[in-house]
Amino acid sequence: MHGLQFLVLLALAVSSGANEDTLVVKIGAIFFDTEIKLADAFSVALEEVNAVNPTLKLEAIKRYVTVDDSIVLQDISCDLIGSGVAAIFGPSSKTNSDIVEVLCNMTGIPHLQFDWHAQQSARERMNHQLTVNVAPMELFLSAAFSDILASKSFDWKSFTIAYERSSHLIRLQHILAWKQLHKAGIKMQEFDRGDDYRILWKRINDAREKFVLLDCPSDILVDVINASIRYNMTGSFNHLFLTNLDTHLSGIDQFYSRDFTLSVAAVRIRTYVPPPVHDEIDVFDNSVDTRFSSLGSQLLYDCVVLFYNALLEISQVSGFHIPNFSCGRGFWQPGPRLVEQMKQISPKMAKPPFKTQRLQINADGQREDFNLEVYNPIIDRVTHIWNKEFQLVDFEKLRENSTQAIKQKRLQNKEDFSQKPIKYTVATRVGKPYFSWREEPEGVHFEGNERFEGYAVDLIYLLAQECKFDFNFEPVRDNKYGSYDANTDEWDGIIRQLIDNNAQIGICDLTITQARRSVVDFTVPFMQLGISILSYKEPPPKTDIYAFLNPYNAEVWLFVMIAMMITAFALIFAGRIDQFEWEQPVENENGELERQNIWHLSNTLWLVLGSILTQGCDLLPRGVPMRLLTALWWIFALLVSQTYVAKLAAFITSSKIAGVIGSLHDLVDQNKVQFGTIRGGATSVYFSESNDTENRMAWNKMLSFKPDAFTKNNEEGVDRVKLSKGTYAFLMETTNLQYYVERNCELTQIGESFGEKHYGIAVPLNADFRSNLSVGILRLSERGELFKLRNKWFNSNESICDSNVPDIDDGQFDMDSVGGLFVVLIVGVIVGLVIGVAEFLWHVQRISVKEKIPRMVALKAEFYFVIRFWLTRKPLHTYRQSRDSTSTGYSSLEQISSASSAKKKKKSRRIEK
């Protein structure tokens, strides 16, 4: 009996010692009474974290509120703090008060949030320093939505935002800043919970909107989308983007059917994916754990894990203690350290793992990083992953690069009806650059659609990618566009294939005409053009770089130069015999008085040249003979220069004579050049059915020409123009004309285009896919794809023509025309520099002889002075062999100044004498 009592006491002692080794920490949680599922998830999260380490246990104290009342929240918070909790979780964003954050900040108790709250200013954060929020910042969610819609995978140009009134539009601020609010950008549609959602979709449908961004709670999402079916907003050419992060819980997968082909994309925070599990508890148990399926429960779980891991570290540090004070009467010192520790916890350190990926708290207690899944909620298939570092990444590429085996979901096997391709037969005709057989390199053989190339081929490929269909090219046997034969009451070519339902699409350089529209339908035009005249281009005349000399012949230029020399010598002679042209006497170096005359050969030639170039001269005569001679020369120079200018203008005008034929009117009014077009084509129909007088005259002339002016196709017409050497012109569409002109240097376009025409894609009458093709063409046009195709096939760099020779004379000179002027300038500059260098060397020689110093020393000293361009005063003697000279042989500026002053004083004394 005594032994049994001893064993019982021993067991009690052991159990009490174990309890003393376990640290139990209380935590508080505040929930609204409608958040029972969140409270249950909170309890499950506590159970899982308490199983991690036996030395630390968390004990929850839950409190519930029914209304958003700040006084009630204050009382509950103070009650929790008085109960000794080490942290408070919640409440959710349903409350608009920050009383819990303020109280926690005052008492040192960490506060953890798990959903979105209003963005705080820097001043507000001062009162919330102990608050940590594991929900991704709405600012970065907004950036994610904008990046997704602007990416190449989506490329939304304009769309409508339909939002429920209670939605957080702050999540869309980047989108609202990205596009302008108008018809061509973003349109806004607001609705309330419980409204008749059909009115919403009617407004969107009336605006012909195909792209819709829907922002509403997940519990009404199915009802909202269901209302769109009545307005045919769930077709294959409609797009819907859902921003709610709990869309997968809305039950939207119930729309899965062949009739629901709407392209739907939604987003959600990517959760933790555990490693593969190879064992099983029950092979017949297919149940799925849905306790943490909502984002709110996942973030609440992450809050608990984050706090637990931080507490596990802090509790092992000396000085840690459980809070024990009432509200407002103390401050828990470990609290700030605990918050800082939570900011240090990384996803790899957390045990158990976080439910959401890339959870890391920044210095402000906010979460910036997360992985966002872009998925199709109808079939629950992930298509892309967004991250602020990597932007939008294709999920298939991530899976290919991943070394981990990811289990495929059962829903992954569902067929995506919105992406199901449809195969069309495309009828066309061979004709460059729209459709032609592709050249096969040696040893290569193409099959199927790879056998063809051209503008129409690339356009169909783009449309197939845009509109999600497959196709097969079938060139028509007669290689005709499609014209009506009144005798047989039949159509031929591409149009016949569409009428007989042998093809669903007809494409080439097919013009939309009223006759064709009576038997087939056309999409919106993919190309707008007109009719132009293709003609032979005469080789351009050789340019003369000295054409500026043409107003005068060589004889006149020679006599002008002789007159200049004679006048220069006459001025020298007259200046020397005229006493008024001599300067006042000046004393020379030997002390003798002498007079100077400025009229020498260099000055007279300068006066003569400046006058004839109408630039003037600063040397003016004073005597009567000199003035009379100068005036006569000025009259001569004026007449010569002005006559030259007038003749040059007349020469330029006469040298730019336009061609004889510059328009259709000129072509009709002459009889030298014949002209024609394709027989039975849209251009011939334009002339034959036109009521315009000029067009009727052109048609009658084409019918009267012998030999026949009509051709079978464009290639025959182009060859005929090249062989005629200017006696035949071909009327054809502008785009085709540009194509041949680019590749044939001897061809050119005459005049402007006329007769507006359009190319379109032909489909059978009342074809239901015509509007889809039209939408695809408009999208390609908006993105600039049609412009790129046109440049690729019509304005390529394959031209071998001289790009320096303009096709149209715009009246401007090029370098070949005025090159002679630059030659004269360059020669003049070179001659001037050569003479200047010669004079410089002669000056150096004189210094060397006069000062008896080596020639190289004098050259070095003079050269150094020349290159020191900032010196504006030069000493009288540039080199002195005295110690007061500089290293380059120059006297100091002080000596220069002294010598200059002494010279001025000496000169003034001589004048006084």
Side-chain angles (χ1 to χ4, degrees), residues 270-276 354-355 357 373 404-407:
R270 186 162 178 81
T271 58
Y272 168 75
V273 180
F354 294 129
K355 290 294 183 183
Q357 297 182 5
E373 281 185 355
Q404 296 181 0
I406 303 178
K407 284 188 174 181

PDB file of all heavy atoms in Angstrom, residues 270-276 354-355 357 373 404-407:
ATOM      1  N   ARG A 270      -1.117  32.459 -54.388  1.00  0.00           N
ATOM      2  CA  ARG A 270      -0.676  31.066 -54.520  1.00  0.00           C
ATOM      3  C   ARG A 270      -0.305  30.517 -53.148  1.00  0.00           C
ATOM      4  O   ARG A 270       0.437  31.147 -52.391  1.00  0.00           O
ATOM      5  CB  ARG A 270       0.497  30.950 -55.482  1.00  0.00           C
ATOM      6  CG  ARG A 270       0.897  29.496 -55.750  1.00  0.00           C
ATOM      7  CD  ARG A 270       1.739  29.366 -56.983  1.00  0.00           C
ATOM      8  NE  ARG A 270       2.168  28.008 -57.237  1.00  0.00           N
ATOM      9  CZ  ARG A 270       1.439  27.072 -57.819  1.00  0.00           C
ATOM     10  NH1 ARG A 270       0.222  27.362 -58.213  1.00  0.00           N
ATOM     11  NH2 ARG A 270       1.902  25.867 -58.024  1.00  0.00           N
ATOM     12  N   THR A 271      -0.808  29.335 -52.872  1.00  0.00           N
ATOM     13  CA  THR A 271      -0.613  28.720 -51.561  1.00  0.00           C
ATOM     14  C   THR A 271       0.604  27.809 -51.576  1.00  0.00           C
ATOM     15  O   THR A 271       1.165  27.470 -52.627  1.00  0.00           O
ATOM     16  CB  THR A 271      -1.859  27.913 -51.162  1.00  0.00           C
ATOM     17  OG1 THR A 271      -2.104  26.913 -52.166  1.00  0.00           O
ATOM     18  CG2 THR A 271      -3.066  28.825 -51.054  1.00  0.00           C
ATOM     19  N   TYR A 272       0.984  27.385 -50.350  1.00  0.00           N
ATOM     20  CA  TYR A 272       2.096  26.453 -50.186  1.00  0.00           C
ATOM     21  C   TYR A 272       1.719  25.085 -50.750  1.00  0.00           C
ATOM     22  O   TYR A 272       0.624  24.571 -50.490  1.00  0.00           O
ATOM     23  CB  TYR A 272       2.438  26.344 -48.709  1.00  0.00           C
ATOM     24  CG  TYR A 272       3.376  25.214 -48.372  1.00  0.00           C
ATOM     25  CD1 TYR A 272       4.734  25.296 -48.666  1.00  0.00           C
ATOM     26  CD2 TYR A 272       2.903  24.065 -47.753  1.00  0.00           C
ATOM     27  CE1 TYR A 272       5.598  24.256 -48.352  1.00  0.00           C
ATOM     28  CE2 TYR A 272       3.755  23.018 -47.423  1.00  0.00           C
ATOM     29  CZ  TYR A 272       5.102  23.122 -47.738  1.00  0.00           C
ATOM     30  OH  TYR A 272       5.949  22.093 -47.431  1.00  0.00           O
ATOM     31  N   VAL A 273       2.628  24.530 -51.553  1.00  0.00           N
ATOM     32  CA  VAL A 273       2.409  23.203 -52.142  1.00  0.00           C
ATOM     33  C   VAL A 273       3.335  22.222 -51.437  1.00  0.00           C
ATOM     34  O   VAL A 273       4.560  22.313 -51.577  1.00  0.00           O
ATOM     35  CB  VAL A 273       2.691  23.210 -53.656  1.00  0.00           C
ATOM     36  CG1 VAL A 273       2.460  21.819 -54.233  1.00  0.00           C
ATOM     37  CG2 VAL A 273       1.810  24.229 -54.343  1.00  0.00           C
ATOM     38  N   PRO A 274       2.802  21.287 -50.638  1.00  0.00           N
ATOM     39  CA  PRO A 274       3.668  20.347 -49.913  1.00  0.00           C
ATOM     40  C   PRO A 274       4.331  19.372 -50.859  1.00  0.00           C
ATOM     41  O   PRO A 274       3.866  19.164 -51.987  1.00  0.00           O
ATOM     42  CB  PRO A 274       2.689  19.645 -48.962  1.00  0.00           C
ATOM     43  CG  PRO A 274       1.372  19.736 -49.649  1.00  0.00           C
ATOM     44  CD  PRO A 274       1.386  21.050 -50.382  1.00  0.00           C
ATOM     45  N   PRO A 275       5.403  18.763 -50.443  1.00  0.00           N
ATOM     46  CA  PRO A 275       6.066  17.759 -51.302  1.00  0.00           C
ATOM     47  C   PRO A 275       5.166  16.545 -51.513  1.00  0.00           C
ATOM     48  O   PRO A 275       4.216  16.318 -50.754  1.00  0.00           O
ATOM     49  CB  PRO A 275       7.325  17.409 -50.500  1.00  0.00           C
ATOM     50  CG  PRO A 275       7.004  17.774 -49.085  1.00  0.00           C
ATOM     51  CD  PRO A 275       6.100  18.960 -49.163  1.00  0.00           C
ATOM     52  N   PRO A 276       5.445  15.762 -52.539  1.00  0.00           N
ATOM     53  CA  PRO A 276       4.592  14.598 -52.843  1.00  0.00           C
ATOM     54  C   PRO A 276       4.549  13.610 -51.677  1.00  0.00           C
ATOM     55  O   PRO A 276       5.541  13.379 -50.995  1.00  0.00           O
ATOM     56  CB  PRO A 276       5.266  13.975 -54.074  1.00  0.00           C
ATOM     57  CG  PRO A 276       6.067  15.088 -54.662  1.00  0.00           C
ATOM     58  CD  PRO A 276       6.505  15.945 -53.522  1.00  0.00           C
ATOM     59  N   PHE A 354       4.083  28.433 -43.963  1.00  0.00           N
ATOM     60  CA  PHE A 354       2.976  29.351 -44.214  1.00  0.00           C
ATOM     61  C   PHE A 354       2.036  28.757 -45.274  1.00  0.00           C
ATOM     62  O   PHE A 354       2.449  28.005 -46.152  1.00  0.00           O
ATOM     63  CB  PHE A 354       3.489  30.704 -44.709  1.00  0.00           C
ATOM     64  CG  PHE A 354       4.290  31.460 -43.692  1.00  0.00           C
ATOM     65  CD1 PHE A 354       5.549  31.965 -44.004  1.00  0.00           C
ATOM     66  CD2 PHE A 354       3.795  31.673 -42.414  1.00  0.00           C
ATOM     67  CE1 PHE A 354       6.282  32.661 -43.073  1.00  0.00           C
ATOM     68  CE2 PHE A 354       4.526  32.376 -41.474  1.00  0.00           C
ATOM     69  CZ  PHE A 354       5.779  32.866 -41.793  1.00  0.00           C
ATOM     70  N   LYS A 355       0.784  29.142 -45.200  1.00  0.00           N
ATOM     71  CA  LYS A 355      -0.171  28.703 -46.211  1.00  0.00           C
ATOM     72  C   LYS A 355       0.011  29.451 -47.537  1.00  0.00           C
ATOM     73  O   LYS A 355      -0.284  28.911 -48.599  1.00  0.00           O
ATOM     74  CB  LYS A 355      -1.606  28.918 -45.712  1.00  0.00           C
ATOM     75  CG  LYS A 355      -2.019  27.991 -44.586  1.00  0.00           C
ATOM     76  CD  LYS A 355      -2.091  26.543 -45.041  1.00  0.00           C
ATOM     77  CE  LYS A 355      -2.584  25.647 -43.925  1.00  0.00           C
ATOM     78  NZ  LYS A 355      -2.598  24.212 -44.325  1.00  0.00           N
ATOM     79  N   GLN A 357       2.586  31.756 -50.171  1.00  0.00           N
ATOM     80  CA  GLN A 357       4.000  31.781 -50.525  1.00  0.00           C
ATOM     81  C   GLN A 357       4.581  33.190 -50.402  1.00  0.00           C
ATOM     82  O   GLN A 357       3.882  34.189 -50.538  1.00  0.00           O
ATOM     83  CB  GLN A 357       4.192  31.282 -51.962  1.00  0.00           C
ATOM     84  CG  GLN A 357       3.770  29.845 -52.169  1.00  0.00           C
ATOM     85  CD  GLN A 357       4.012  29.364 -53.589  1.00  0.00           C
ATOM     86  OE1 GLN A 357       4.583  30.063 -54.409  1.00  0.00           O
ATOM     87  NE2 GLN A 357       3.565  28.144 -53.876  1.00  0.00           N
ATOM     88  N   GLU A 373      -1.531  33.811 -58.542  1.00  0.00           N
ATOM     89  CA  GLU A 373      -1.913  32.881 -59.602  1.00  0.00           C
ATOM     90  C   GLU A 373      -2.933  33.532 -60.527  1.00  0.00           C
ATOM     91  O   GLU A 373      -3.892  34.151 -60.075  1.00  0.00           O
ATOM     92  CB  GLU A 373      -2.535  31.609 -59.013  1.00  0.00           C
ATOM     93  CG  GLU A 373      -1.542  30.613 -58.477  1.00  0.00           C
ATOM     94  CD  GLU A 373      -2.241  29.340 -58.023  1.00  0.00           C
ATOM     95  OE1 GLU A 373      -3.496  29.293 -58.053  1.00  0.00           O
ATOM     96  OE2 GLU A 373      -1.544  28.398 -57.655  1.00  0.00           O
ATOM     97  N   GLN A 404      10.631  19.863 -59.073  1.00  0.00           N
ATOM     98  CA  GLN A 404       9.692  19.167 -58.205  1.00  0.00           C
ATOM     99  C   GLN A 404       8.528  18.621 -59.007  1.00  0.00           C
ATOM    100  O   GLN A 404       8.046  19.258 -59.943  1.00  0.00           O
ATOM    101  CB  GLN A 404       9.164  20.108 -57.125  1.00  0.00           C
ATOM    102  CG  GLN A 404      10.241  20.606 -56.177  1.00  0.00           C
ATOM    103  CD  GLN A 404       9.661  21.506 -55.110  1.00  0.00           C
ATOM    104  OE1 GLN A 404       8.471  21.750 -55.099  1.00  0.00           O
ATOM    105  NE2 GLN A 404      10.499  21.962 -54.212  1.00  0.00           N
ATOM    106  N   ALA A 405       8.077  17.468 -58.654  1.00  0.00           N
ATOM    107  CA  ALA A 405       6.908  16.866 -59.318  1.00  0.00           C
ATOM    108  C   ALA A 405       5.648  17.404 -58.661  1.00  0.00           C
ATOM    109  O   ALA A 405       5.443  17.274 -57.463  1.00  0.00           O
ATOM    110  CB  ALA A 405       6.969  15.346 -59.191  1.00  0.00           C
ATOM    111  N   ILE A 406       4.810  18.054 -59.451  1.00  0.00           N
ATOM    112  CA  ILE A 406       3.561  18.633 -58.945  1.00  0.00           C
ATOM    113  C   ILE A 406       2.400  17.762 -59.416  1.00  0.00           C
ATOM    114  O   ILE A 406       2.264  17.482 -60.611  1.00  0.00           O
ATOM    115  CB  ILE A 406       3.409  20.078 -59.444  1.00  0.00           C
ATOM    116  CG1 ILE A 406       4.623  20.914 -59.000  1.00  0.00           C
ATOM    117  CG2 ILE A 406       2.134  20.692 -58.931  1.00  0.00           C
ATOM    118  CD1 ILE A 406       4.568  22.334 -59.497  1.00  0.00           C
ATOM    119  N   LYS A 407       1.615  17.380 -58.492  1.00  0.00           N
ATOM    120  CA  LYS A 407       0.469  16.544 -58.843  1.00  0.00           C
ATOM    121  C   LYS A 407      -0.527  17.316 -59.692  1.00  0.00           C
ATOM    122  O   LYS A 407      -0.816  18.476 -59.437  1.00  0.00           O
ATOM    123  CB  LYS A 407      -0.237  16.068 -57.568  1.00  0.00           C
ATOM    124  CG  LYS A 407       0.506  14.957 -56.844  1.00  0.00           C
ATOM    125  CD  LYS A 407      -0.345  14.419 -55.712  1.00  0.00           C
ATOM    126  CE  LYS A 407       0.324  13.218 -55.065  1.00  0.00           C
ATOM    127  NZ  LYS A 407      -0.504  12.668 -53.981  1.00  0.00           N
TER     128      LYS A 407
END
